[in-house]
Amino acid sequence: MGQKIAWSLLVVCSLGLFQWVPFLVVAIKRGLRRDWIALAAFAFVSVVTAIWGGLTADGPGDALLGFVAIGAIGTAVVLVWVWLFNKPAVKADAVQPSAPSGRDYLT
């Protein structure tokens, strides 16, 4: 629970600039293709919004940039809470029933 709060605070407090960091940690730990794809997607969004914000910094605020940034931050926080740090199920858990312990045979 504390890990989810910490990663969510990193995403929100950095205003989305470091939203790719939790996905990097999970991709390195698990090594699954979908984790690397999520990392690439959030890194791409971070770079695009940083460049976009730099290009429009002199003029009036860009509402579309704000919506994109808030949407990306919200998506990252939801994925951190729902998808990232939950233990992935193993196929054997769903297919094979667990073996009874030795006490079950003593009755």
Side-chain angles (χ1 to χ4, degrees):
M1 177 71 127
Q3 187 178 21
K4 290 180 181 183
I5 293 171
W7 287 123
S8 298
L9 283 175
L10 174 72
V11 169
V12 173
C13 292
S14 71
L15 299 176
L17 187 61
F18 297 121
Q19 63 188 349
W20 53 270
V21 173
F23 298 93
L24 174 66
V25 171
V26 170
I28 290 172
K29 283 184 179 180
R30 293 195 301 202
L32 297 176
R33 176 179 279 199
R34 68 177 183 219
D35 296 331
W36 289 105
I37 291 171
L39 167 65
F42 278 103
F44 177 75
V45 169
S46 295
V47 169
V48 167
T49 54
I51 292 172
W52 189 358
L55 293 175
T56 61
D58 297 336
D62 190 354
L64 183 58
L65 173 61
F67 287 127
V68 169
I70 291 171
I73 291 169
T75 303
V77 169
V78 167
L79 287 178
V80 163
W81 279 88
V82 174
W83 179 54
L84 271 190
F85 294 102
N86 293 333
K87 182 181 174 186
V90 179
K91 184 178 179 183
D93 292 340
V95 177
Q96 300 171 351
S98 61
S101 63
R103 292 184 179 178
D104 294 336
Y105 293 116
L106 298 176
T107 58

